[in-house]
Amino acid sequence: MTEKLPFEIQEIINALAEKGHAAYLVGGCVRDRLLGFVPTDYDLCTSATPDEMKLCFAGMKVVETGIKHGTLTVVNRRTACEVTTFRTEKGYTDKRRPDQVFFTTRIEEDLSRRDFTMNAMAYAPGRADGGLIDLFGGQQDLAAGVIRTVGDPGERFEEDPLRILRALRFAAKLDFIIEEKTYAAMHAHKALLAHIAAERVTAELIGLVMGKAAQRVTGQMGSILSCILAKPAVVHDSLAKDPCVRLAAFYRQSKDDIAGLRLSKSMHRTITALFSYEAPLPKNQTEALFLLHEMGLEQAVQLCQFREDAGALAAVAAAKESGVPYAVRHLAVNGHDLLQAGVPELAVGQVLEKVLALVIEGKLENQKESLLGYILQEPLSGCS
């Protein structure tokens, strides 16, 4: 924990300290720093109330992200940081957000409401005592590679069932094991996953299947994951680290369930294409060029990875490196050239496609003169 903080984060801490408020790094950024990772973002908690925070951050941009729950997002020199007042919570009717939030002046009370021991540590940089507050054995669990809830696991999962999936995501990402009582409570409360919004499930599942221990976790935790989809498949660690490929593999036995995820249009389109392509994969460069033409480079690679076909993947790579055109835009002629040569406008697209096929098959050279000569001299069935 001796590494320097980003200057922008230190400035936010200093702004609170100058007004006499305690400020701590908290949650994932503390965990990641202890594991030797560079955090992707930083969260702070403070003794300052939201109104007091606004006074501290007068020179910075402040977004009232969740002000009724005590959270502001502070943007300092383009770096965003969530800052939250120390708080306790009560009641979780919607199985996600607390019904009541109570601000407190004690960091200990704030940490006691958090999910897992490794996420319930706080750190105040610059203190002589090291600045780390670890009330629940988070450091010990990190060292042992164990995921354990803070307090009673059943209560934690009843408050927010998403924590069940978070435990699986952390187990896959960090290659940790889940402590026995925590796992038993996860299994006992798995039916609560039905209450979780699709976008929250989606984010956790993507993190899970992308984890370095995804194969172990998806293989061992099928009984829990079956509450989300009918037949969860094992995601092999050998699969490419591509979220579309890994989600498709995870859903390969429950293809219809993919519609229940909140995916981007691009991801949904790609996964649907991986499921729907039933033809044999290419065995040589020519076949690979036709696959590239049909799907494009990115999807063709994803398809070979999804099918775990190293030979087809090699054929696609060779086709790409060959320089042989696999898309109309790669041809040495274009629509304008064909119109000038007298090809009817309605036939231009079909002619270009036929010429491309001949180039891929090695029957024509991709040179403007050769292509135009063929187009002008040979009758193209259905194109005249």
Side-chain angles (χ1 to χ4, degrees):
M1 297 289 284
T2 58
E3 300 86 352
K4 287 186 177 180
L5 293 175
F7 179 72
E8 298 84 353
I9 302 300
Q10 188 65 60
E11 277 194 329
I12 294 173
I13 294 173
N14 293 345
L16 290 163
E18 287 169 5
K19 297 291 186 180
H21 302 297
Y24 294 86
L25 296 173
V26 71
C29 61
V30 179
R31 177 197 69 232
D32 288 349
R33 284 166 64 90
L34 286 170
L35 288 170
F37 303 148
V38 176
T40 56
D41 54 37
Y42 288 84
D43 291 330
L44 296 174
C45 63
T46 178
S47 57
T49 65
D51 287 340
E52 290 171 333
M53 281 193 268
K54 290 179 185 178
L55 295 176
C56 295
F57 305 135
M60 305 176 192
K61 180 181 177 181
V62 176
V63 182
E64 297 184 0
T65 315
I67 191 167
K68 72 176 183 178
H69 293 141
T71 300
L72 301 177
T73 298
V74 182
V75 183
N76 183 26
R77 305 171 191 265
R78 298 186 180 181
T79 296
C81 176
E82 283 196 356
V83 187
T84 303
T85 304
F86 299 157
R87 73 191 193 198
T88 59
E89 302 169 348
K90 185 177 181 181
Y92 297 83
T93 303
D94 68 355
K95 302 298 182 184
R96 177 177 183 180
R97 301 178 184 86
D99 298 330
Q100 294 176 288
V101 170
F102 306 94
F103 296 150
T104 178
T105 58
R106 299 183 64 241
I107 180 65
E108 294 82 1
E109 290 183 304
D110 185 276
L111 296 178
S112 68
R113 68 178 174 82
R114 296 178 181 269
D115 54 6
F116 306 112
T117 60
M118 63 182 182
N119 296 333
M121 293 179 284
Y123 173 63
R127 285 189 7 182
D129 63 0
L132 184 68
I133 297 179
D134 179 12
L135 306 176
F136 307 103
Q139 290 183 92
Q140 182 177 346
D141 284 342
L142 278 182
V146 171
I147 297 168
R148 185 193 316 270
T149 58
V150 173
D152 182 80
E155 292 180 8
R156 296 292 82 80
F157 298 134
E158 286 174 5
E159 290 165 353
D160 185 356
L162 185 72
R163 289 169 172 169
I164 296 172
L165 293 185
R166 282 172 58 80
L168 297 183
R169 171 168 64 83
F170 284 127
K173 178 182 178 181
L174 301 173
D175 198 7
F176 280 14
I177 62 170
I178 298 172
E179 180 266 335
E180 185 177 348
K181 290 182 179 178
T182 300
Y183 172 74
M186 289 167 60
H187 198 275
H189 292 80
K190 63 184 179 180
L192 294 177
L193 290 171
H195 296 278
I196 305 301
E199 61 270 16
R200 301 181 78 207
V201 169
T202 301
E204 296 300 329
L205 286 184
I206 290 175
L208 189 165
V209 300
M210 292 294 286
K212 62 182 178 182
Q215 181 170 323
R216 176 178 62 81
V217 174
T218 54
Q220 293 176 348
M221 302 297 174
S223 62
I224 292 175
L225 292 169
S226 62
C227 292
I228 301 171
L229 68 161
K231 295 180 179 179
V234 175
V235 177
H236 297 145
D237 293 339
S238 59
L239 272 175
K241 285 292 188 72
D242 181 302
C244 290
V245 172
R246 292 200 162 206
L247 275 177
F250 186 53
Y251 276 80
R252 71 167 78 235
Q253 298 180 110
S254 307
K255 297 178 182 179
D256 292 341
D257 289 351
I258 202 76
L261 291 181
R262 289 291 186 270
L263 299 172
S264 67
K265 290 182 179 178
S266 174
M267 287 187 72
H268 190 274
R269 187 165 49 245
T270 295
I271 293 173
T272 300
L274 298 183
F275 285 155
S276 61
Y277 193 91
E278 297 180 349
L281 293 185
K283 296 182 176 62
N284 55 53
Q285 179 176 300
T286 299
E287 291 177 0
L289 286 166
F290 278 112
L291 179 64
L292 287 171
H293 176 55
E294 181 178 353
M295 302 191 78
L297 175 61
E298 184 177 11
Q299 277 195 8
V301 169
Q302 290 169 321
L303 176 64
C304 297
Q305 292 170 336
F306 171 58
R307 298 269 196 92
E308 298 184 75
D309 190 325
L313 193 60
V316 166
K320 176 182 176 294
E321 294 301 319
S322 71
V324 177
Y326 59 82
V328 166
R329 66 181 182 278
H330 300 152
L331 289 173
V333 295
N334 55 36
H336 179 71
D337 296 327
L338 268 61
L339 290 173
Q340 284 192 323
V343 176
E345 184 174 356
L346 292 176
V348 166
Q350 190 175 354
V351 170
L352 288 172
E353 288 289 341
K354 183 166 185 178
V355 167
L356 176 63
L358 293 171
V359 171
I360 289 175
E361 292 169 351
K363 297 176 181 178
L364 277 177
E365 292 186 26
N366 187 34
Q367 295 180 356
K368 188 172 184 178
E369 295 78 8
S370 298
L371 299 181
L372 286 177
Y374 175 82
I375 291 167
L376 293 175
Q377 294 177 20
E378 295 292 328
L380 299 175
S381 176
C383 299
S384 58

